[in-house]
Amino acid sequence: MLKALYHSPALRAAAAFGLAGAAFTIGNLILAKAFSAQQFALISLVIGIISVSGPSAPLGLDLVIARRGLSFTSRLRIAVLVTSIAAAMATACIAAALYGLHIDLLCAIFLATAAVGVSQSTAAHFQGRRQFAAAVPYLQMSNWALVPVAIVSAAFGFTTALVPCALIALAALTTAAVGWQRVAKLTEGDESDFGGPTLWREAISLMTISTASGLFMQLERLVIPMTVGIEHLALFGVATSLVGSPFRMIQGAVSFTIIPRLREAQNAEERRQLLRHECILIGTVLVPACIAIWIVAPFLAHWFFGGRYDLSSAIIVAMLISGILKILSSFSTSVVNALASHNGLRLLSASSWVCVVLAALLAYAGRSWGLCGVIYGVSLGWLARCAVAIWISAPLLRR
């Protein structure tokens, strides 16, 4: 069993993602301690917005690159850059309308969104070739960078959200520039894989699915200010750091590694065997992780913050349930992303957006029960999406 755990690409990627998750957790905890609840909530909101807008910025071109194993040639790079800048502009406008953020924070969101879009596509170039070790840094650098960002902010005694958000944008721009240069050298002389309208149709279908997933991942963070108040977002940020991060990393690792291997499987039996194998291994890790989180998270929160952000049992249970549902959804949607026809992708895309709206409505309905009510409302949306994805993917595993 230990040998199987070591050789599982999903778990090895999860380990790399886990290091990034640990950095994200440490960075968030330092920021929560150094800043007031109001300013930390603003930082958390900006991170949540970028986490949705950045991966969506290439408009699905990165997902097609990874799905088909395309070379990230100069023509594709220009297309990604243009779409990422356009998406970044739209994101800044939407953030201004919904949350009334200051222009400085909107500029940080704009720059980080465009940069993350380029980095996502660079990672997709390596992911499509199953060079997972080369791809992970471009996907996770924003998490790794949060520790130095937090340390610098705390050391110099900054009191507003602007400086850490600006540093986050700077780290994203640096990562994008390095990735751009590296992939330009690797693809020099390659012929363009740009497929015209066919590629764009597939890209948009995949992008809408991915954006729905990104919205789901950050939905609590985005709706809390509009339901129970931005002051609760600080507590949720701490809960996400101490309880939710492991699930987020495992979910990302699952979809990151399973999609290319499902496409390479020769028949339905190999696909089912692959999924069974990975589900058992992930479950083996998940059970003790949940127990450890239940025991350690409240103690760490009380010790580190001195009672400012105590985590109740109710919040921890809600976060654990939410995390498990997210991992189940990652398995089911990965099957659809890897194997479904264009019609299947469109069906998952449409149903995903219906589930996003449903989750937002349920979160609003649950606001009377405070932060836990919002978390459970979004979790019910995850459950609905998981059920739809299983229904779509079942025939793909039988034939």
Side-chain angles (χ1 to χ4, degrees):
M1 177 62 76
L2 291 177
K3 184 177 180 180
L5 288 171
Y6 175 78
H7 288 290
S8 168
L11 283 179
R12 288 198 297 184
F17 279 50
L19 292 175
F24 179 83
T25 297
I26 294 170
N28 265 283
L29 293 177
I30 295 173
L31 290 171
K33 191 174 181 66
F35 288 86
S36 67
Q38 180 77 14
Q39 294 301 311
F40 176 60
L42 284 175
I43 297 169
S44 296
L45 179 60
V46 169
I47 291 174
I49 292 171
I50 296 169
S51 297
V52 175
S53 61
S56 304
L59 300 186
L61 287 176
D62 58 321
L63 300 171
V64 175
I65 291 169
R67 193 174 194 245
R68 297 189 183 185
L70 302 182
S71 180
F72 193 25
T73 56
S74 59
R75 191 175 177 188
L76 273 173
R77 290 199 300 276
I78 295 300
V80 164
L81 182 61
V82 171
T83 60
S84 295
I85 291 174
M89 183 65 72
T91 299
C93 293
I94 294 171
L98 289 179
Y99 304 106
L101 297 177
H102 193 271
I103 184 64
D104 295 336
L105 293 179
L106 295 175
C107 288
I109 290 172
F110 170 81
L111 294 173
T113 295
V116 171
V118 173
S119 297
Q120 285 279 138
S121 303
T122 301
H125 171 85
F126 296 107
Q127 183 186 357
R129 287 159 173 73
R130 298 188 66 183
Q131 298 174 13
F132 300 130
V136 167
Y138 298 105
L139 291 174
Q140 296 299 320
M141 185 57 68
S142 59
N143 288 328
W144 293 337
L146 201 59
V147 171
V149 166
I151 291 174
V152 169
S153 299
F156 286 91
F158 297 120
T159 57
T160 66
L162 174 59
V163 173
C165 291
L167 292 175
I168 289 170
L170 178 62
L173 287 169
T174 303
T175 304
V178 170
W180 184 284
Q181 292 295 323
R182 181 181 180 186
V183 82
K185 292 180 180 179
L186 292 175
T187 60
E188 186 177 0
D190 287 1
E191 294 184 4
S192 176
D193 290 313
F194 197 84
T198 302
L199 181 144
W200 277 111
R201 283 196 296 270
E202 182 178 346
I204 294 300
S205 294
L206 291 170
M207 184 272 294
T208 52
I209 296 171
S210 175
T211 302
S213 297
L215 268 175
F216 257 133
M217 286 296 297
Q218 301 297 330
L219 192 57
E220 295 100 335
R221 201 184 294 260
L222 297 177
V223 301
I224 283 171
M226 296 182 286
T227 52
V228 291
I230 196 168
E231 64 276 3
H232 290 277
L233 187 54
L235 177 59
F236 179 78
V238 172
T240 299
S241 300
L242 292 176
V243 182
S245 287
F247 298 97
R248 180 168 170 259
M249 294 303 107
I250 292 175
Q251 181 190 19
V254 167
S255 60
F256 180 66
T257 59
I258 282 183
I259 290 175
R261 289 190 292 151
L262 281 173
R263 289 186 63 81
E264 291 178 0
Q266 299 299 312
N267 52 56
E269 178 57 34
E270 284 189 15
R271 295 167 190 159
R272 291 194 297 270
Q273 184 176 355
L274 169 64
L275 287 173
R276 281 196 299 267
H277 182 260
E278 294 301 319
C279 284
I280 291 172
L281 293 181
I282 294 295
T284 302
V285 173
L286 204 56
V287 172
C290 288
I291 296 173
I293 289 169
W294 173 264
I295 295 172
V296 174
F299 168 77
L300 285 178
H302 185 78
W303 169 76
F304 192 75
F305 296 109
R308 282 178 62 197
Y309 297 111
D310 281 346
L311 298 180
S312 66
S313 298
I315 290 177
I316 294 176
V317 170
M319 294 293 292
L320 290 176
I321 293 174
S322 174
I324 292 170
L325 288 174
K326 289 172 183 176
I327 293 175
L328 291 176
S329 178
S330 183
F331 273 105
S332 56
T333 56
S334 292
V335 177
V336 181
N337 284 334
L339 304 175
S341 64
H342 183 62
N343 288 335
L345 293 175
R346 285 195 300 178
L347 179 57
L348 180 60
S349 172
S351 61
S352 294
W353 282 100
V354 170
C355 291
V356 167
V357 174
L358 174 64
L361 293 174
L362 290 171
Y364 184 78
R367 72 191 187 283
S368 301
W369 291 274
L371 182 58
C372 287
V374 173
I375 296 172
Y376 279 121
V378 175
S379 296
L380 288 173
W382 275 105
L383 181 61
R385 184 175 188 244
C386 187
V388 172
I390 290 173
W391 175 69
I392 298 172
S393 63
L396 303 175
L397 296 174
R398 288 198 297 266
R399 62 172 181 261

